[in-house]
Amino acid sequence: MDVFLTSRIASDVLGGLTNGVIYGLVALSLVLVWRSTGILNFAQGAMPMLATYVGMVTFGHYFGYWICVVIAVLVGFLIGAGTERVLVRPLYGKPEINPVVVMVGFLTVLEAVAAAIWSSTPRSLTTPFSPIDFHLSGKPFALSAFSLYQIITAVVVMVAVAVLFRFTNLGLQLRASALAPEVSRLLGVRVNRMLTLGWTLSTGVGTITAILVASNFFTGLTPQVMDGIFAFGFIAAAVGGLDSPVGSIVAGIVMGIILQFVGDYVNSNAIILVALAILIVSLMARPNGVFSPVKTRRV
Amino acid sequence: MIRVQDLTVAYGAVKALVDVTFEARTSAITAVLGANGAGKTTLLRTISGLKSPVAGSITHDGAELTLMKTEDIARMGIAHVPEGRGVIGEFTVEENLRLGALTAKVDAKQSLASQYERFPILGERRRQHADQLSGGERQILSMARALIANPAVLLLDEPSLGLAPLITAQIMATIKELCASENLTVILVEQNASSALRIADHAVVLNVGHVVANDVASVVAEDEKLRQYYLGMVR
Ligand SMILES: Nc1ncnc2c1ncn2[C@@H]1O[C@H](COP(=O)(O)OP(=O)(O)OP(=O)(O)O)[C@@H](O)[C@H]1O
Ligand SMILES: [Mg+2]
């Protein structure tokens, strides 16, 4: 057992899983917005980045890690809700390209604002968890207290979202508003509120993700911290299905593991190429493409 | 009671309803009849607040509806079963019903049970996805979903569309029965004039947006000119 856990294959699986849950979380947050409002949010990494700066850096002067996490997530909720209300609501029913342009522009603005306020120098967030790999019989294996924290947090968030959507009345209304807004209104569901809530939840999930990424000893927090991860999360959502929360999470985790093997056995430059290859092959298998909504929407 | 007064509704420059006035009384079925494009669906959508009128008023027991939001109108107890039924195919039968019960002040478990009792077929299929139901079963589901919140008003848009005559007759009988037992105000939009007139108390006939008849159902049913020109009923 010890020999297996410290083997190269087990290391790659564990390392891949640690990254994969992050891609899965990003994909999940993209799906939450896509399902509720039919918009592909290119600022899905940048909005949580800003919340993370506010919560973890600005409030980091006054409070400890966990209080800052709570503040950051609350700020994330506010940013998500505010963005939907102010920026996104006028875009409903407009050609699909408009939201893309607006959200890419928003991404650029947010990164510039963060750089202006906090500079682009990476900030390390002190976490309660050590990034040093555990040892078994004197050999290291690819799991640290921090990566366990990352995996467990991700799983808890995923399960919480699933429970909310599957088993609660609020989840029923969120799903109904996305699937059939007009029918939902006729049944008394406050659809506009549900759309705002979809963005709120999504940015909350995104903020937890960004905190995990930025808490990583080897990355730290920068205005661009989510850019690369957004790309992998986006590919996972596209492969797994933008309207399928479970599919996109699974795709994220599987992709994390595959890419870890690629980085280990081929070389790290091949990772992005393989990710693109996965995207292209899956898009060929689904010729409708990820950008075409399953249903025409009337929001 | 629903009172519609001088209602005018337009899509751009095209008027779909012009100066429409009528009343739908409590514990009675008011049939709204007319050919394709007469404005029947537009009328129900305007009552529900999905479409804003150009002029006129719609009141429910004295409360003005035309400035209210759809969701608030629904929460007042005005249930609208839309054209094409509007069941959510990705939801199970039970999820569809739960959605109907959500916003009402009713106990969900108990009202689910009472709908299953009233419509046993729904109880048998509660875990099935609604897109697996037949047309008649969907119609029953969408009616049950509207009724579960104990509405005061029931707006039905062509419940017989695409159904076999026997099923249509069953559904019409159910509507009649519910109207009496629940003291409902029913507005029944139909192209199938003969089956609607069989159960209706009152009838309003629309022709390209204008009211051409507004009378007791039996009078409308016997009017040769109406039957021939507007209702497409031949003896
Ligand atoms: N969304 C819309 N945009 C433009 N015109 C519309 C729209 N909906 C309806 N109309 C027009 O308004 C008029 C009335 O339509 P409405 O759907 O109310 O008729 P209807 O009596 O329900 O017909 P049917 O029996 O075919 O359902 C028609 O001339 C129709 O073309
Ligand atoms: Mg119609």
Side-chain angles (χ1 to χ4, degrees):
Chain A
M1 187 66 186
D2 290 7
V3 174
F4 174 71
L5 278 175
T6 54
S7 70
R8 189 174 177 183
I9 289 180
S11 296
D12 285 342
V13 170
L14 290 172
L17 178 67
T18 311
N19 293 335
V21 292
I22 293 290
Y23 307 152
L25 280 180
V26 172
L28 175 64
S29 65
L30 283 167
V31 168
L32 286 175
V33 156
W34 174 264
R35 289 230 310 189
S36 64
T37 53
I39 285 175
L40 198 53
N41 183 10
F42 282 92
Q44 190 60 60
M47 291 158 63
M49 174 277 297
L50 194 74
T52 306
Y53 265 107
V54 174
M56 307 305 292
V57 177
T58 306
F59 283 90
H61 299 303
Y62 311 104
F63 302 110
Y65 185 79
W66 295 112
I67 292 181
C68 289
V69 167
V70 172
I71 294 173
V73 173
L74 292 178
V75 172
F77 284 158
L78 282 180
I79 292 176
T83 303
E84 196 274 340
R85 279 288 156 109
V86 177
L87 207 57
V88 178
R89 191 156 291 187
L91 299 172
Y92 296 146
K94 299 282 160 58
E96 305 248 324
I97 190 70
N98 290 16
V100 173
V101 172
V102 169
M103 296 324 291
V104 169
F106 192 44
L107 154 77
T108 318
V109 169
L110 291 178
E111 290 188 353
V113 166
I117 302 177
W118 293 284
S119 93
S120 302
T121 319
R123 308 218 174 210
S124 55
L125 309 179
T126 34
T127 71
F129 300 103
S130 161
I132 298 170
D133 285 345
F134 295 129
H135 282 63
L136 266 182
S137 330
K139 283 185 171 176
F141 75 111
L143 210 58
S144 62
F146 180 78
S147 49
L148 266 185
Y149 160 55
Q150 178 157 316
I151 293 168
I152 290 170
T153 306
V155 171
V156 167
V157 169
M158 289 163 184
V159 170
V161 169
V163 167
L164 173 72
F165 275 80
R166 284 268 159 88
F167 299 111
T168 70
N169 284 340
L170 189 61
L172 191 70
Q173 295 181 71
L174 282 163
R175 285 187 287 146
S177 301
L179 290 168
E182 191 172 287
V183 169
S184 302
R185 280 200 174 99
L186 288 176
L187 296 172
V189 177
R190 302 205 185 279
V191 171
N192 284 339
R193 257 183 230 177
M194 294 303 136
L195 302 187
T196 308
L197 191 60
W199 279 72
T200 308
L201 285 173
S202 159
T203 314
V205 169
T207 304
I208 294 173
T209 318
I211 294 170
L212 290 172
V213 172
S215 299
N216 189 318
F217 177 77
F218 303 103
T219 349
L221 178 59
T222 66
Q224 282 78 32
V225 66
M226 295 304 286
D227 285 4
I229 286 164
F230 173 84
F232 290 124
F234 171 75
I235 292 173
V239 171
L242 269 168
D243 33 52
S244 161
V246 175
S248 62
I249 289 173
V250 169
I253 293 174
V254 170
M255 232 177 67
I257 295 174
I258 291 176
L259 296 182
Q260 188 78 14
F261 275 95
V262 171
D264 187 16
Y265 284 83
V266 187
N267 71 54
S268 57
N269 295 323
I271 289 177
I272 188 71
L273 292 178
V274 171
L276 279 176
I278 293 174
L279 177 66
I280 290 167
V281 169
S282 86
L283 286 188
M284 289 196 318
R286 281 178 38 166
N288 284 343
V290 287
F291 288 94
S292 65
V294 181
K295 293 181 180 290
T296 47
R297 274 162 202 282
R298 292 183 55 171
V299 182
Chain B
M1 184 171 83
I2 295 275
R3 186 193 295 264
V4 175
Q5 189 77 42
D6 299 323
L7 189 71
T8 298
V9 181
Y11 296 97
V14 184
K15 285 185 175 163
L17 293 174
V18 182
D19 285 334
V20 169
T21 298
F22 74 96
E23 269 177 25
R25 281 180 294 108
T26 308
S27 307
I29 297 175
T30 303
V32 175
L33 310 172
N36 290 117
K40 308 179 296 292
T41 297
T42 302
L43 174 66
L44 294 194
R45 291 177 63 85
T46 312
I47 296 175
S48 289
L50 289 169
K51 178 88 185 116
S52 302
V54 175
S57 100
I58 302 167
T59 56
H60 167 52
D61 292 343
E64 180 63 47
L65 302 184
T66 46
L67 294 174
M68 288 173 62
K69 282 195 272 178
T70 300
E71 17 320 18
D72 295 319
I73 293 173
R75 282 161 187 254
M76 275 180 87
I78 298 180
H80 183 161
V81 178
E83 200 169 25
R85 298 168 191 134
V87 301
I88 300 182
E90 295 89 338
F91 276 17
T92 62
V93 167
E94 183 143 316
E95 284 175 323
N96 269 284
L97 290 172
R98 270 176 53 207
L99 191 65
L102 270 188
T103 53
K105 298 157 210 74
V106 293
D107 176 54
K109 271 224 174 72
Q110 206 177 318
S111 29
L112 273 176
S114 71
Q115 294 307 318
Y116 291 149
E117 198 178 325
R118 182 182 278 148
F119 305 110
I121 184 75
L122 297 180
E124 288 161 29
R125 315 211 151 195
R126 61 207 281 178
R127 307 237 174 274
Q128 273 183 29
H129 282 260
D131 55 12
Q132 294 169 0
L133 299 181
S134 74
E137 288 161 353
R138 276 179 213 212
Q139 186 58 51
I140 289 168
L141 174 57
S142 61
M143 285 213 324
R145 189 179 64 183
L147 291 169
I148 198 164
N150 290 328
V153 178
L154 189 58
L155 309 175
L156 298 166
D157 199 342
E158 308 222 23
S160 76
L161 195 71
L163 300 186
L166 185 64
I167 310 216
T168 301
Q170 279 169 6
I171 287 190
M172 293 294 164
T174 311
I175 295 170
K176 181 88 186 162
E177 202 181 290
L178 287 169
C179 175
S181 66
E182 314 280 312
N183 290 323
L184 281 171
T185 302
V186 178
I187 299 185
L188 171 63
V189 158
E190 267 296 344
Q191 261 194 72
N192 185 343
S194 55
S195 33
L197 285 170
R198 219 166 282 142
I199 62 164
D201 301 285
H202 202 88
V204 175
V205 182
L206 289 177
N207 182 43
V208 285
H210 294 263
V211 174
V212 291
N214 178 1
D215 214 326
V216 177
S218 55
V219 173
V220 171
E222 293 305 312
D223 188 315
E224 208 50 52
K225 194 170 134 258
L226 284 176
R227 294 172 63 93
Q228 207 174 333
Y229 291 116
Y230 300 122
L231 303 178
M233 298 160 78
V234 199
R235 249 181 234 272

